[in-house]
Amino acid sequence: MHHPSPDNDKYVTVGELNIPDITLSAIIIIKLEYGHGITDRKLTLSQYGFRIVVISQFRDRTFLCDGITGTAANQGLYIDPHTNVGIYIAGLIGLTALNYAGATVLLAYYHPGGLKHANKLVSSGDGKGSMNSGDIHIVRQRVDVQVQNLSLTWARRRSTKNILSGITALFPSGEVTAVLGPSGAGKSSLLQLIAGRYMYAGRFAHFDVAGEVLFNGSALSSKQARGFVSFVEQDDAHHLPALSVRETVRYAAILRLPATMSRKSKIARAEEVIQTLGLSECADNFVGGELLKGISGGEKRRLSLAVEMISDPAILIVDEPTSGLDALTANNVMLALKAIAASGRTVIDIWAAGIDNVLLLAKGGRTAFCGPKLEVDPICKSLGYPLPDMTNPADWILDLISISNVSDEEEVSRNRVNKVLEFWAAHGIKEKVDGLKMQPSNIVSPDVDQQASIYVALPVILERMSRNLWRQKPVFFMRMYQSPLMACIFLLIFQRLKFGPTGGQDRLGFMNELVSPISFVGLLNNVAIFPADRDLFWHEVRSSAAYSSAAFLLSFTLIEIPLEIVASLVAAVVSNLGNGMQTSPRIFFELVFVEWALLSTGESIGIIFGVFTQSMGFNVSLVSTFITIMVQASGVLSVTIPGWVDDLAW
């Protein structure tokens, strides 16, 4: 190593490397010198890539800088030019692997939303078919559901709130039972308790549950209950938009049905459910989403029913099946539910017409009525509130148990609600339901611990994700052209790098701009496709399509890596060859690796934050702030950052 001498301080020499100390305008300088000054301490995401590129580009290069003397020779960032870049490569790989490992754990244990018209894959009708009159031709066990004195209380520190208050009710098999009540009556909470689903109480809060949920008179654990209960959520947004209806149901069949069942039998089961639920005419239409026009709302609702019916559940729970639908579409959905109940299943829903039984809840989760719908009118008459002519019965009984927000009517409505509750407490069917508990029958619970192995799940998830991404051409190509486009913009700004007095500084600025924004590009790639796949994964984990978070993330990674490699190769060609950087096969592929590693790391950080919050706007803000801090603390832009920021760089 040769150090600059007083009579030749216009050069900074390291080995055979001469780099200018160009600080005439107080511009940041870089000085590569071994064993002095600032060492490899400020190592963050951008700094790893920056050091790789700096060592590759400035090793064995000479820049003549006449007139640079004095204190200018003592300023700069010290990097050991003899450091093996493999250390930084290993750091980038390790950071990316750590992010993916963290995302896998979070997905497994942490469970917290311009229009283009799409063509059909195969034309097969207008997509407005109604419910098929045929039945689900499978004989299965009938299961009556009953709840005994069921209470649910939310608690956090000293605050408590009663959500359900001692509910006793019966849900007979082969019939449709609707749970009605005003907002705050605990309808959705009751359905989730019956289904054995996990409920998130919030930070530092918890739920206290009392009472029993019985299946044919037997108490089962939540895990056992999930084996034969399917829950259709109110929101249908979890379906992948660029898959057809047939593909969606078939993939669900392969993942949900037992591994002992052949693939041919699973597909046959999918076709049977499609026909039964009246989806044959729209089976080859795209499901659609925010940016892709697809099937109608009613068809999407029946698609959700079809996906849950694949596993042939004994109990089907549907949260607001007709919400947001017109009268004709809602009628078709209810025909589907009636046919499902006629096959021997227990159907429980919220707010639906064409039902057999009613469970009426008042605010605070108190029972106001439970029984056949034909008994509602006689009870209302006995209370002095007969059903008026030309009035919807559901609307009428909801008015009876709702407290008005108008000050002049609040007291009257409150007295009316109390009168209804007192009547039911005195003349209800509690004794009848209690008697059923004394006659338990055998119930066969499926193997609920079975999870689709990674060998079964991985090919299916990989194929499903690939099709969904490829059919959304703007999203697919955006993942490949963002990095090359950024490189082209830098080519216009920096043009061909020179070897004169400004050459060294130009290269410093170019390399800083080259590595700093790439992580943001990875984040944008992630935002475009990951939320839809994540929502579907969470939905399937909560239902019968259980597979590991490792299988999901591995599938997502196997799809993103080839696209990132292609983008990095093209960007490296533009940057390395187009801008006239020092090049050789080794240097070129080092740059390709830096581009790919930073893209992948930015995307992996987006995955972790995407698991914490379902709001993409909030997620982008968090990740952008996080990556910006990493860049600022890396020591690339300044070597005089505060000590506490310096510590964050680790």
Side-chain angles (χ1 to χ4, degrees):
M1 179 183 297
H2 305 284
H3 295 278
S5 59
D7 59 345
N8 190 27
D9 58 1
K10 62 183 178 182
Y11 294 100
V12 176
T13 308
V14 181
E16 297 182 1
L17 169 64
N18 298 307
I19 299 179
D21 286 320
I22 35 181
T23 55
L24 297 179
S25 300
I27 304 176
I28 180 174
I29 342 144
I30 177 167
K31 180 164 70 175
L32 287 90
E33 186 168 340
Y34 184 78
H36 298 280
I38 301 172
T39 58
D40 296 349
R41 182 155 185 251
K42 299 185 181 68
L43 297 181
T44 63
L45 172 66
S46 297
Q47 185 72 332
Y48 285 137
F50 182 73
R51 287 171 180 253
I52 294 173
V53 178
V54 164
I55 293 174
S56 297
Q57 290 301 307
F58 281 100
R59 181 179 290 157
D60 302 326
R61 301 300 297 275
T62 301
F63 300 89
L64 179 61
C65 299
D66 295 326
I68 305 299
T69 60
T71 58
N74 296 320
Q75 302 182 32
L77 174 65
Y78 295 84
I79 300 177
D80 179 5
H82 304 297
T83 300
N84 188 342
V85 294
I87 296 176
Y88 304 125
I89 291 175
L92 282 172
I93 294 177
L95 182 59
T96 303
L98 183 63
N99 287 331
Y100 276 102
T104 301
V105 173
L106 286 172
L107 282 170
Y109 298 104
Y110 180 79
H111 303 292
L115 191 63
K116 177 182 177 181
H117 291 262
N119 297 322
K120 293 182 179 180
L121 298 179
V122 179
S123 178
S124 59
D126 59 4
K128 297 295 182 181
S130 61
M131 171 64 197
N132 191 296
S133 59
D135 198 355
I136 307 255
H137 303 294
I138 293 180
V139 179
R140 71 129 55 245
Q141 181 182 17
R142 286 176 173 261
V143 178
D144 293 316
V145 181
Q146 56 195 97
V147 295
Q148 295 278 352
N149 298 318
L150 187 63
S151 298
L152 177 66
T153 303
W154 175 88
R156 181 169 60 190
R157 297 178 181 175
R158 298 181 180 179
S159 300
T160 60
K161 179 181 180 181
N162 292 328
I163 300 176
L164 300 175
S165 303
I167 294 178
T168 297
L170 173 67
F171 305 92
S173 60
E175 299 179 0
V176 180
T177 302
V179 181
L180 304 180
S183 177
K187 304 183 295 296
S188 295
S189 298
L190 174 62
L191 297 190
Q192 293 187 63
L193 284 177
I194 295 174
R197 291 168 67 92
Y198 170 80
M199 295 191 297
Y200 180 62
R203 292 182 179 179
F204 311 111
H206 64 277
F207 288 113
D208 293 323
V209 182
E212 294 180 303
V213 178
L214 305 176
F215 302 89
N216 282 355
S218 301
L220 302 176
S221 66
S222 297
K223 183 176 291 187
Q224 290 174 316
R226 286 196 297 268
F228 51 84
V229 178
S230 287
F231 192 102
V232 182
E233 298 174 350
Q234 181 179 356
D235 190 359
D236 301 313
H238 55 269
H239 299 300
L240 295 181
L243 295 183
S244 69
V245 171
R246 175 171 281 112
E247 289 168 340
T248 300
V249 180
R250 284 186 175 183
Y251 287 134
I254 296 172
L255 289 173
R256 292 167 184 259
L257 295 176
T260 55
M261 194 173 182
S262 67
R263 188 182 182 95
K264 182 178 180 180
S265 298
K266 292 179 180 179
I267 293 177
R269 169 64 178 163
E271 292 298 323
E272 178 187 8
V273 173
I274 288 173
Q275 182 179 7
T276 301
L277 291 174
L279 293 170
S280 299
E281 295 184 356
C282 63
D284 296 304
N285 287 15
F286 286 149
V287 174
E290 293 182 355
L291 302 177
L292 190 68
K293 180 64 177 177
I295 58 178
S296 67
E299 290 166 340
K300 191 173 291 187
R301 179 93 293 213
R302 281 184 280 148
L303 173 60
S304 297
L305 291 173
V307 168
E308 296 301 329
M309 288 302 301
I310 280 292
S311 57
D312 190 27
I315 303 167
L316 182 65
I317 298 177
V318 190
D319 192 351
E320 299 194 20
T322 60
S323 177
L325 304 179
D326 59 76
L328 178 61
T329 303
N331 181 64
N332 286 336
V333 172
M334 286 312 304
L335 288 176
L337 292 177
K338 291 285 287 184
I340 291 170
S343 66
R345 293 165 179 82
T346 304
V347 178
I348 308 173
D349 60 37
I350 293 180
W351 186 254
I355 56 177
D356 301 303
N357 307 290
V358 176
L359 170 61
L360 187 61
L361 298 178
K363 193 175 183 66
R366 296 172 293 173
T367 307
F369 174 81
C370 180
K373 66 176 182 180
L374 297 178
E375 296 181 4
V376 173
D377 188 43
I379 290 179
C380 289
K381 288 181 180 179
S382 66
L383 289 171
Y385 306 110
L387 177 67
D389 295 334
M390 307 300 291
T391 301
N392 187 321
D395 292 336
W396 176 249
I397 60 177
L398 277 179
D399 288 339
L400 287 180
I401 59 165
S402 298
I403 299 176
S404 175
N405 293 324
V406 180
S407 58
D408 296 340
E409 302 176 2
E410 181 178 358
E411 184 176 355
V412 175
S413 62
R414 188 181 300 277
N415 292 334
R416 181 181 66 239
V417 171
N418 290 333
K419 181 179 179 181
V420 174
L421 293 174
E422 291 171 359
F423 177 87
W424 181 252
H427 304 88
I429 62 169
K430 185 176 185 297
E431 294 79 8
K432 177 181 177 181
V433 177
D434 286 339
L436 293 176
K437 183 179 178 182
M438 305 303 295
Q439 305 173 6
S441 60
N442 294 330
I443 182 169
V444 180
S445 179
D447 183 6
V448 295
D449 292 324
Q450 182 179 2
Q451 184 181 73
S453 69
I454 193 170
Y455 303 105
V456 174
L458 183 62
V460 177
I461 302 171
L462 192 60
E463 179 183 344
R464 184 173 66 182
M465 286 183 177
S466 300
R467 286 190 176 185
N468 182 60
L469 179 59
W470 171 248
R471 289 171 181 169
Q472 300 179 82
K473 293 297 192 298
V475 178
F476 178 83
F477 288 107
M478 181 195 69
R479 296 181 67 91
M480 291 192 295
Y481 69 60
Q482 284 198 89
S483 294
L485 179 61
M486 183 182 66
C488 290
I489 294 175
F490 289 157
L491 177 61
L492 292 175
I493 296 174
F494 290 92
Q495 301 182 16
R496 295 285 293 183
L497 298 172
K498 300 177 175 57
F499 298 96
T502 62
Q505 182 63 34
D506 287 345
R507 281 165 171 75
L508 290 178
F510 176 71
M511 287 183 288
N512 180 39
E513 294 297 329
L514 187 63
V515 299
S516 296
I518 299 179
S519 300
F520 293 97
V521 175
L523 167 63
L524 296 177
N525 288 340
N526 174 266
V527 169
I529 196 67
F530 178 73
D533 292 322
R534 174 207 60 195
D535 292 344
L536 179 57
F537 167 76
W538 273 338
H539 172 79
E540 290 181 327
V541 166
R542 290 193 295 263
S543 58
S544 56
Y547 50 87
S548 66
S549 57
F552 165 68
L553 279 180
L554 182 57
S555 300
F556 189 83
T557 303
L558 290 176
I559 290 175
E560 74 177 26
I561 285 179
L563 300 179
E564 290 174 347
I565 290 176
V566 171
S568 300
L569 280 169
V570 178
V573 169
V574 176
S575 301
N576 190 260
L577 303 180
N579 286 92
M581 299 173 65
Q582 180 174 222
T583 188
S584 69
R586 176 185 60 81
I587 292 175
F588 176 79
F589 285 105
E590 284 177 354
L591 180 60
V592 171
F593 173 80
V594 169
E595 296 260 2
W596 169 79
L598 292 175
L599 274 175
S600 185
T601 306
E603 187 151 358
S604 66
I605 294 174
I607 289 175
I608 289 182
F609 281 89
V611 174
F612 275 114
T613 173
Q614 291 181 283
S615 172
M616 276 299 100
F618 185 54
N619 183 29
V620 171
S621 298
L622 284 177
V623 179
S624 298
T625 303
F626 182 75
I627 295 178
T628 300
I629 292 175
M630 293 178 67
V631 173
Q632 295 296 325
S634 66
V636 174
L637 301 180
S638 175
V639 297
T640 59
I641 59 177
W644 66 273
V645 179
D646 191 14
D647 294 334
L648 288 177
W650 286 95

